[in-house]
Short mmCIF file of all heavy atoms in Angstrom, two decimals:
data_model
loop_
_atom_site.label_atom_id
_atom_site.label_comp_id
_atom_site.label_asym_id
_atom_site.label_seq_id
_atom_site.Cartn_x
_atom_site.Cartn_y
_atom_site.Cartn_z
N SER A 1 0.85 -1.20 0.00
CA SER A 1 0.00 0.00 -0.01
C SER A 1 0.89 1.25 0.00
O SER A 1 2.00 1.20 0.50
CB SER A 1 -0.94 0.00 1.21
OG SER A 1 -0.18 -0.06 2.40
N PRO A 2 0.36 2.36 -0.54
CA PRO A 2 1.15 3.58 -0.59
C PRO A 2 1.46 4.08 0.84
O PRO A 2 0.62 4.00 1.72
CB PRO A 2 0.28 4.57 -1.34
CG PRO A 2 -0.74 3.75 -2.04
CD PRO A 2 -0.92 2.51 -1.24
N ASP A 3 2.63 4.58 1.04
CA ASP A 3 3.04 5.16 2.31
C ASP A 3 2.36 6.52 2.44
O ASP A 3 2.50 7.38 1.59
CB ASP A 3 4.57 5.35 2.33
CG ASP A 3 5.11 5.89 3.63
OD1 ASP A 3 4.34 6.39 4.44
OD2 ASP A 3 6.35 5.78 3.82
N PRO A 4 1.57 6.73 3.51
CA PRO A 4 0.87 8.01 3.66
C PRO A 4 1.83 9.20 3.76
O PRO A 4 1.50 10.30 3.36
CB PRO A 4 0.09 7.85 4.98
CG PRO A 4 0.24 6.45 5.40
CD PRO A 4 1.27 5.80 4.58
N ALA A 5 3.06 8.97 4.23
CA ALA A 5 4.03 10.06 4.38
C ALA A 5 4.73 10.38 3.06
O ALA A 5 5.22 11.47 2.85
CB ALA A 5 5.07 9.69 5.43
N ASP A 6 4.78 9.40 2.17
CA ASP A 6 5.46 9.58 0.87
C ASP A 6 4.79 8.63 -0.12
O ASP A 6 5.15 7.46 -0.20
CB ASP A 6 6.95 9.29 0.99
CG ASP A 6 7.71 9.51 -0.31
OD1 ASP A 6 7.06 9.75 -1.36
OD2 ASP A 6 8.94 9.44 -0.28
N ARG A 7 3.84 9.13 -0.89
CA ARG A 7 3.03 8.27 -1.75
C ARG A 7 3.84 7.62 -2.89
O ARG A 7 3.35 6.74 -3.56
CB ARG A 7 1.86 9.06 -2.29
CG ARG A 7 0.99 9.56 -1.13
CD ARG A 7 -0.43 9.82 -1.39
NE ARG A 7 -1.27 8.88 -2.01
CZ ARG A 7 -1.90 7.88 -1.41
NH1 ARG A 7 -1.72 7.66 -0.13
NH2 ARG A 7 -2.72 7.10 -2.07
N ARG A 8 5.08 8.04 -3.08
CA ARG A 8 5.95 7.39 -4.06
C ARG A 8 6.49 6.05 -3.55
O ARG A 8 7.00 5.27 -4.31
CB ARG A 8 7.14 8.30 -4.44
CG ARG A 8 6.71 9.63 -5.10
CD ARG A 8 7.88 10.53 -5.20
NE ARG A 8 8.32 10.87 -3.84
CZ ARG A 8 9.39 11.57 -3.54
NH1 ARG A 8 10.15 12.02 -4.48
NH2 ARG A 8 9.69 11.85 -2.30
N ARG A 9 6.39 5.85 -2.25
CA ARG A 9 6.96 4.67 -1.62
C ARG A 9 5.82 3.75 -1.19
O ARG A 9 4.77 4.18 -0.78
CB ARG A 9 7.77 5.12 -0.40
CG ARG A 9 8.43 3.99 0.36
CD ARG A 9 9.36 4.47 1.42
NE ARG A 9 8.77 5.51 2.24
CZ ARG A 9 9.48 6.30 3.02
NH1 ARG A 9 10.78 6.19 3.09
NH2 ARG A 9 8.88 7.21 3.76
N ASN A 10 6.08 2.44 -1.27
CA ASN A 10 5.10 1.44 -0.81
C ASN A 10 5.49 0.92 0.57
O ASN A 10 6.67 0.81 0.88
CB ASN A 10 5.06 0.24 -1.78
CG ASN A 10 4.33 0.57 -3.04
OD1 ASN A 10 3.31 1.22 -3.05
ND2 ASN A 10 4.89 0.09 -4.16
N ILE A 11 4.47 0.61 1.34
CA ILE A 11 4.66 -0.06 2.62
C ILE A 11 4.15 -1.50 2.44
O ILE A 11 3.05 -1.71 1.93
CB ILE A 11 3.88 0.65 3.77
CG1 ILE A 11 4.43 2.08 3.96
CG2 ILE A 11 3.96 -0.15 5.07
CD1 ILE A 11 5.86 2.14 4.44
N ILE A 12 4.96 -2.44 2.89
CA ILE A 12 4.61 -3.86 2.73
C ILE A 12 4.19 -4.36 4.11
O ILE A 12 4.86 -4.12 5.12
CB ILE A 12 5.82 -4.66 2.24
CG1 ILE A 12 6.45 -4.00 1.00
CG2 ILE A 12 5.42 -6.12 1.97
CD1 ILE A 12 5.52 -3.74 -0.15
N THR A 13 3.06 -5.08 4.14
CA THR A 13 2.49 -5.58 5.39
C THR A 13 2.25 -7.09 5.25
O THR A 13 1.79 -7.55 4.22
CB THR A 13 1.16 -4.86 5.69
OG1 THR A 13 1.38 -3.45 5.69
CG2 THR A 13 0.56 -5.29 7.03
N LEU A 14 2.50 -7.80 6.32
CA LEU A 14 2.24 -9.24 6.36
C LEU A 14 0.75 -9.45 6.54
O LEU A 14 0.12 -8.83 7.41
CB LEU A 14 3.03 -9.83 7.55
CG LEU A 14 2.99 -11.34 7.73
CD1 LEU A 14 3.61 -12.06 6.54
CD2 LEU A 14 3.75 -11.70 9.02
N THR A 15 0.17 -10.36 5.78
CA THR A 15 -1.26 -10.70 5.89
C THR A 15 -1.42 -11.92 6.80
O THR A 15 -0.44 -12.60 7.13
CB THR A 15 -1.86 -11.01 4.52
OG1 THR A 15 -1.25 -12.19 4.01
CG2 THR A 15 -1.69 -9.85 3.54
N ALA A 16 -2.66 -12.23 7.14
CA ALA A 16 -2.94 -13.42 7.93
C ALA A 16 -2.48 -14.69 7.16
O ALA A 16 -1.90 -15.60 7.78
CB ALA A 16 -4.42 -13.50 8.28
N ALA A 17 -2.72 -14.70 5.88
CA ALA A 17 -2.27 -15.85 5.05
C ALA A 17 -0.74 -15.92 5.07
O ALA A 17 -0.17 -17.01 5.06
CB ALA A 17 -2.80 -15.73 3.62
N GLY A 18 -0.09 -14.77 5.07
CA GLY A 18 1.37 -14.74 5.12
C GLY A 18 1.89 -15.29 6.44
O GLY A 18 2.90 -16.01 6.46
N ARG A 19 1.17 -15.00 7.54
CA ARG A 19 1.57 -15.56 8.84
C ARG A 19 1.43 -17.08 8.84
O ARG A 19 2.26 -17.80 9.39
CB ARG A 19 0.71 -14.95 9.97
CG ARG A 19 1.24 -13.66 10.45
CD ARG A 19 0.56 -13.20 11.75
NE ARG A 19 1.11 -11.93 12.15
CZ ARG A 19 0.81 -10.77 11.60
NH1 ARG A 19 -0.06 -10.71 10.61
NH2 ARG A 19 1.38 -9.65 12.01
N ARG A 20 0.33 -17.55 8.26
CA ARG A 20 0.12 -19.03 8.18
C ARG A 20 1.23 -19.66 7.34
O ARG A 20 1.75 -20.72 7.71
CB ARG A 20 -1.25 -19.34 7.61
CG ARG A 20 -2.38 -19.06 8.60
CD ARG A 20 -3.72 -19.59 8.10
NE ARG A 20 -4.14 -19.04 6.85
CZ ARG A 20 -4.84 -17.90 6.70
NH1 ARG A 20 -5.17 -17.21 7.77
NH2 ARG A 20 -5.20 -17.50 5.52
N GLN A 21 1.59 -19.03 6.22
CA GLN A 21 2.67 -19.57 5.38
C GLN A 21 4.00 -19.54 6.14
O GLN A 21 4.78 -20.49 6.07
CB GLN A 21 2.77 -18.79 4.07
CG GLN A 21 3.95 -19.19 3.20
CD GLN A 21 3.82 -20.60 2.57
OE1 GLN A 21 2.98 -21.41 2.96
NE2 GLN A 21 4.63 -20.90 1.59
N LEU A 22 4.24 -18.48 6.90
CA LEU A 22 5.47 -18.40 7.70
C LEU A 22 5.54 -19.55 8.70
O LEU A 22 6.59 -20.14 8.90
CB LEU A 22 5.54 -17.05 8.40
CG LEU A 22 6.80 -16.82 9.26
CD1 LEU A 22 8.08 -16.98 8.45
CD2 LEU A 22 6.73 -15.43 9.92
N ARG A 23 4.41 -19.90 9.32
CA ARG A 23 4.39 -21.03 10.26
C ARG A 23 4.76 -22.32 9.52
O ARG A 23 5.51 -23.15 10.05
CB ARG A 23 3.03 -21.19 10.93
CG ARG A 23 2.54 -20.03 11.79
CD ARG A 23 3.34 -19.82 13.06
NE ARG A 23 4.52 -19.03 12.95
CZ ARG A 23 4.59 -17.66 12.93
NH1 ARG A 23 3.52 -16.92 12.98
NH2 ARG A 23 5.75 -17.06 12.81
N ARG A 24 4.23 -22.52 8.31
CA ARG A 24 4.57 -23.71 7.52
C ARG A 24 6.06 -23.72 7.19
O ARG A 24 6.72 -24.76 7.29
CB ARG A 24 3.75 -23.77 6.23
CG ARG A 24 2.32 -24.20 6.41
CD ARG A 24 1.61 -24.41 5.08
NE ARG A 24 1.35 -23.18 4.35
CZ ARG A 24 0.27 -22.41 4.55
NH1 ARG A 24 -0.66 -22.77 5.41
NH2 ARG A 24 0.09 -21.32 3.85
N LEU A 25 6.59 -22.57 6.82
CA LEU A 25 8.01 -22.48 6.47
C LEU A 25 8.88 -22.73 7.69
O LEU A 25 9.91 -23.41 7.59
CB LEU A 25 8.33 -21.12 5.85
CG LEU A 25 7.65 -20.84 4.52
CD1 LEU A 25 7.95 -19.42 4.05
CD2 LEU A 25 8.09 -21.86 3.48
N GLU A 26 8.48 -22.21 8.83
CA GLU A 26 9.25 -22.45 10.05
C GLU A 26 9.26 -23.94 10.42
O GLU A 26 10.28 -24.48 10.85
CB GLU A 26 8.65 -21.62 11.23
CG GLU A 26 8.94 -20.15 11.08
CD GLU A 26 8.16 -19.30 12.07
OE1 GLU A 26 7.15 -19.75 12.61
OE2 GLU A 26 8.59 -18.15 12.28
#
């Protein structure tokens, strides 16, 4: 998603599905 402080930059966030995948990878 766009960074509210600098719309030229993206902010990356972990989703719930990403957390589940991380548990599988761990």
Side-chain angles (χ1 to χ4, degrees):
S1 58
D3 183 345
D6 182 352
R7 301 204 53 83
R8 297 170 295 174
R9 180 173 47 197
N10 285 318
I11 297 295
I12 311 305
T13 305
L14 184 62
T15 65
R19 276 191 181 77
R20 287 190 300 274
Q21 176 69 345
L22 181 57
R23 298 292 85 82
R24 284 188 289 273
L25 295 176
E26 289 169 340

